[in-house]
Amino acid sequence: MAQNSSTTDQLINTLRDTIVAMVRRDGPDLSARQLGVFLTCYLEDGAHTVRGLAAALNVSKPAITRALDRLGELDLARRKVDPMDRRSVLVQRTLKGSAYLRELRTIMGEAAGVPATGRAAKIVREERAPRRAAG
């Protein structure tokens, strides 16, 4: 049981470090719901619809729509009417969204102690560095 608690604590610390780094960096700041929708779209294969995302995340369709509105504003995802069923709305990935996922993976890997390079790694290293008092 102690080992499980230790593993859980490590995961929670990784999550905290990742969220802090994502909030402090330049770029989109997503809510938990927006991040859940984003990650579901990018990590699960297949076509995603508003209806399917609502069912998968066990939230209402309007809640998914609001999350997708924000993701669309940030160009992290876009909606398109399904040409096979015009009543259905497909959620599509974007290049900017793929780049955001790569950055998130790098930041999370660094927070978990996996060495990384590039801009995202720099952000995490800056977060871990002691802050100097302005004087």
Side-chain angles (χ1 to χ4, degrees):
M1 181 92 161
Q3 183 180 10
N4 191 16
S5 176
S6 174
T7 301
T8 302
D9 287 347
Q10 288 173 337
L11 290 171
I12 290 293
N13 284 324
T14 298
L15 178 60
R16 181 203 60 217
D17 292 347
T18 301
I19 290 171
V20 167
M22 295 298 287
V23 167
R24 289 183 176 167
R25 79 189 201 337
D26 290 332
D29 184 16
L30 302 181
S31 71
R33 179 170 289 151
Q34 293 161 357
L35 188 58
V37 170
F38 172 81
L39 290 172
T40 300
C41 290
Y42 278 81
L43 298 178
E44 294 182 8
D45 290 332
H48 296 282
T49 63
V50 172
R51 184 181 307 118
L53 288 167
L57 297 173
N58 197 25
V59 296
S60 69
K61 288 189 287 185
I64 296 297
T65 297
R66 287 189 300 273
L68 289 172
D69 286 346
R70 178 73 174 139
L71 294 175
E73 289 169 8
L74 299 169
D75 194 30
L76 298 178
R78 74 176 54 98
R79 286 176 281 198
K80 177 183 173 188
V81 174
D82 184 348
M84 303 301 281
D85 179 0
R86 301 206 40 88
R87 298 168 297 163
S88 187
V89 176
L90 297 173
V91 180
Q92 297 179 317
R93 298 172 182 161
T94 65
L95 290 175
K96 190 171 178 181
S98 295
Y100 183 81
L101 180 61
R102 278 192 305 275
E103 188 173 1
L104 178 59
R105 280 185 166 135
T106 300
I107 289 171
M108 183 168 251
E110 184 73 16
V114 177
T117 60
R119 180 175 174 256
K122 180 179 180 248
I123 292 165
V124 172
R125 283 192 299 272
E126 288 171 355
E127 292 305 318
R128 291 186 174 167
R131 301 244 183 238
R132 292 185 180 164

